[in-house]
Amino acid sequence: WVWLSGRGTDPSTFDSGEKIGYTIMVLTMSLVFFAIKQTRDKELGGELKFGQGVAIGTTTNLVASGLFGVFNIIYMRFLAPDFLPTYAAYYRQGIENSDQSAEAIAEQLTDFDANQGLFLNPEFNGFVMFATVFLIGLIITLIAAFALKTK
């Protein structure tokens, strides 16, 4: 909802936005559990092997992760094209204002500058979002498939 309000590129929302974002990812991917349970109960007659649960969860996870990744690209490329440069400046400022030694700050800034091309690339960020959500979903898939298996 932050992006709908136009505040998605406001640095004052970055910390809370990150927490909200991860919460939404976990809650969304918890639906994998219900997808596996629904399939077990309605389509498989209450019987579910672990491998079937993993297959159902992984398929659901791929679709959801793909949607997260694609939305991220659309958001950064079209809806808020100034988000990535604003966030990069915010991130840089956080490094510069940290309580680390001057050497550690200089090293982090050098690394940041070397990777800024990726940092500012919406497609790369979309892939990172896909991978992050997929990993969360994979963990939930494995737990749910184990918890819901009947054979």
Side-chain angles (χ1 to χ4, degrees):
W1 55 87
V2 171
W3 61 272
L4 284 173
S5 69
R7 296 186 57 215
T9 58
D10 180 353
S12 69
T13 65
F14 289 164
D15 288 335
S16 62
E18 188 173 354
K19 291 172 188 155
I20 291 168
Y22 278 108
T23 301
I24 289 170
M25 285 180 226
V26 170
L27 290 175
T28 301
M29 296 316 296
S30 69
L31 295 175
V32 166
F33 175 88
F34 297 105
I36 296 170
K37 185 177 183 320
Q38 174 81 7
T39 304
R40 180 196 70 185
D41 295 346
K42 302 282 184 188
E43 296 178 27
L44 299 176
E47 299 291 324
L48 181 78
K49 295 178 185 172
F50 178 76
Q52 290 173 308
V54 170
I56 296 161
T58 300
T59 302
T60 305
N61 187 15
L62 279 170
V63 171
S65 300
L67 291 173
F68 267 95
V70 168
F71 175 77
N72 224 17
I73 293 168
I74 292 169
Y75 176 75
M76 289 183 230
R77 180 139 323 267
F78 303 107
L79 301 175
D82 56 336
F83 173 77
L84 287 174
T86 303
Y87 191 75
Y90 171 82
Y91 189 81
R92 174 181 268 289
Q93 185 179 31
I95 295 170
E96 291 169 345
N97 295 335
S98 69
D99 293 334
Q100 301 177 75
S101 68
E103 296 82 23
I105 290 172
E107 183 179 332
Q108 285 186 4
L109 289 174
T110 299
D111 290 345
F112 178 75
D113 291 340
N115 294 306
Q116 196 165 13
L118 289 176
F119 196 91
L120 296 173
N121 182 303
E123 289 73 25
F124 178 77
N125 279 279
F127 173 75
V128 169
M129 179 60 71
F130 166 81
T132 302
V133 174
F134 186 79
L135 181 59
I136 292 167
L138 181 61
I139 292 166
I140 292 171
T141 292
L142 294 173
I143 293 168
F146 181 76
L148 294 170
K149 71 180 175 57
T150 56
K151 291 183 179 182

